[in-house]
Amino acid sequence: MGILVVGSVAFDSVETPFGVVENVLGGSATYFATSASYFADVSLVAVVGEDFPAEHISFLESRNIDLRGLTRSSGKTFSWKGKYGYDLNEAQTLETKLNVFETFKPTIPAEYADAEFLFLANIDPDLQMDVVRQVKNPRVIASDTMNYWISSKAESLKNVIGKVDILIINDAEARQLSQEPNLVKAARQILSLGVKTLIVKRGEYGVLMFTGSNIFAAPAYPLEKVFDPTGAGDTFAGGFMGYLANTGNLSDAGIRQAIIFGSVMASYNVEDFSLDRMRSLTYKEIEERYRSFKAMTYFEGLPESA
Ligand code: AMP
């Protein structure tokens, strides 16, 4: 089953304690689509400017991502500049230039309107809502957002959240959105907006999933080599949705496996800047790390009492 993603395709400039990169390939839809492409067919809807180079298009094509929904407008590509300290869990945004996104109105090509899996990556919630209106009858809608939109467009965002099945955000965003410091209470409040499943990403501490009745906790893979956490969230979402679309299994067990695949993809992505680790990543490596996750989190139950 195919996935449609709408989000940003960007130039990122990133500084971490381990290095600096300028105007490299980034964007929420770019990370998502590349990660999901290991598991399912992916179509991407976004906009870039005249300055977006052919080599980036070739890379996305090499991952078999359907780019018929990627428009090129006059003007400059969206760009984001961020910085991380030794606490790699928190990005400090230094600059956001919406550029061609300022006037972008996503038009979903007719061939994509029947998409069964829809991911609303991090973009303006009004654009996310435009997309929801255009996709006919998706089986699963998932979405992401960030502090930038929670502070500037909270009401629009809450309307989108009311329409989605799965919301994937980080812990700081969950607290900011709910105005509630306790994560469990924050989750309950966010679920009351109408979303069925909430996945809270906690950087190097892993992921928590909340539904009305269940909580599932997955650790992050303990890594020695972490260079750049940019895109970890979108890469997680790509592996997660990709696996769901691949199997079509939306049971609790299926969603738990998808969370581990998402965590595997994110763990690889942070090993290098931009999407560079995914340029060489193989499916065999993904399976190997999935198995390590299983071994790492296994423990025995208590003996039956006599
Ligand atoms: P994350 O997975 O949260 O680290 O997402 C990082 C990506 O989000 C970067 O590649 C940025 O280009 C993109 N990004 C940052 N700010 C925004 C924004 N306001 N709207 C859309 N995309 C953004």
Side-chain angles (χ1 to χ4, degrees):
M1 277 173 253
I3 308 177
L4 170 61
V5 55
V6 185
S8 59
V9 171
F11 289 135
D12 286 349
S13 296
V14 178
E15 184 182 334
T16 80
F18 316 106
V20 179
V21 285
E22 299 254 333
N23 292 320
V24 291
L25 178 61
S28 55
T30 316
Y31 280 106
F32 177 91
T34 304
S35 175
S37 70
Y38 283 86
F39 305 91
D41 292 332
V42 187
S43 312
L44 182 151
V45 171
V47 63
V48 292
E50 290 150 329
D51 53 355
F52 196 70
E55 69 186 84
H56 293 339
I57 302 273
S58 305
F59 168 66
L60 295 170
E61 282 173 348
S62 76
R63 294 292 327 149
N64 280 326
I65 298 165
D66 183 336
L67 298 178
R68 282 175 293 172
L70 181 67
T71 35
R72 195 183 278 273
S73 290
S74 57
K76 288 191 171 164
T77 299
F78 172 90
S79 74
W80 177 78
K81 190 172 185 180
K83 187 177 171 177
Y84 299 83
Y86 279 109
D87 177 2
L88 292 166
N89 290 331
E90 190 131 22
Q92 190 194 344
T93 293
L94 302 175
E95 195 175 70
T96 301
K97 289 189 180 159
L98 292 178
N99 294 336
V100 287
F101 265 103
E102 267 179 72
T103 50
F104 179 58
K105 282 265 163 269
T107 309
I108 306 302
E111 319 80 280
Y112 297 177
D114 291 321
E116 289 200 69
F117 287 77
L118 171 62
F119 186 66
L120 308 166
N122 176 27
I123 40 165
D124 184 331
D126 288 331
L127 300 185
Q128 292 180 321
M129 191 57 117
D130 268 0
V131 173
V132 171
R133 288 195 198 100
Q134 292 177 63
V135 179
K136 283 187 200 136
N137 198 12
R139 247 181 106 188
V140 177
I141 308 181
S143 81
D144 184 13
T145 192
M146 73 182 297
N147 52 6
Y148 185 85
W149 304 115
I150 301 173
S151 30
S152 61
K153 293 210 170 178
E155 279 318 301
S156 302
L157 184 60
K158 285 182 182 169
N159 290 336
V160 175
I161 293 172
K163 300 268 179 217
V164 310
D165 303 293
I166 306 174
L167 180 66
I168 307 176
I169 53 178
N170 71 31
D171 47 355
E173 290 155 359
R175 292 190 171 101
Q176 187 190 355
L177 181 63
S178 59
Q179 307 271 301
E180 167 58 59
N182 178 287
L183 216 46
V184 181
K185 288 185 186 163
R188 200 179 309 136
Q189 260 200 49
I190 293 169
L191 290 174
S192 77
L193 298 173
V195 58
K196 295 184 202 85
T197 302
L198 171 67
I199 296 179
V200 180
K201 299 165 287 180
R202 300 160 67 231
E204 65 180 312
Y205 306 111
V207 168
L208 286 172
M209 175 186 78
F210 298 89
T211 64
S213 49
N214 271 330
I215 299 183
F216 173 62
Y221 193 76
L223 288 171
E224 270 189 59
K225 206 172 102 179
V226 179
F227 279 105
D228 176 13
T230 309
D234 304 302
T235 311
F236 169 89
F240 171 79
M241 284 287 273
Y243 186 72
L244 285 186
N246 178 293
T247 61
N249 177 1
L250 302 178
S251 67
D252 186 63
I255 291 181
R256 288 175 186 226
Q257 281 187 297
I259 286 177
I260 302 302
F261 273 106
S263 306
V264 166
M265 296 308 288
S267 75
Y268 277 120
N269 186 62
V270 301
E271 289 181 352
D272 209 339
F273 281 92
S274 181
L275 288 95
D276 289 351
R277 183 62 181 88
M278 283 194 281
R279 291 176 193 270
S280 62
L281 182 66
T282 63
Y283 193 74
K284 191 163 171 282
E285 289 176 300
I286 295 170
E287 286 183 329
E288 268 166 27
R289 197 163 280 182
Y290 183 95
R291 291 196 183 94
S292 306
F293 254 97
K294 176 94 180 77
M296 191 177 77
T297 51
Y298 176 80
F299 54 89
E300 298 282 349
L302 292 174
E304 293 294 322
S305 52

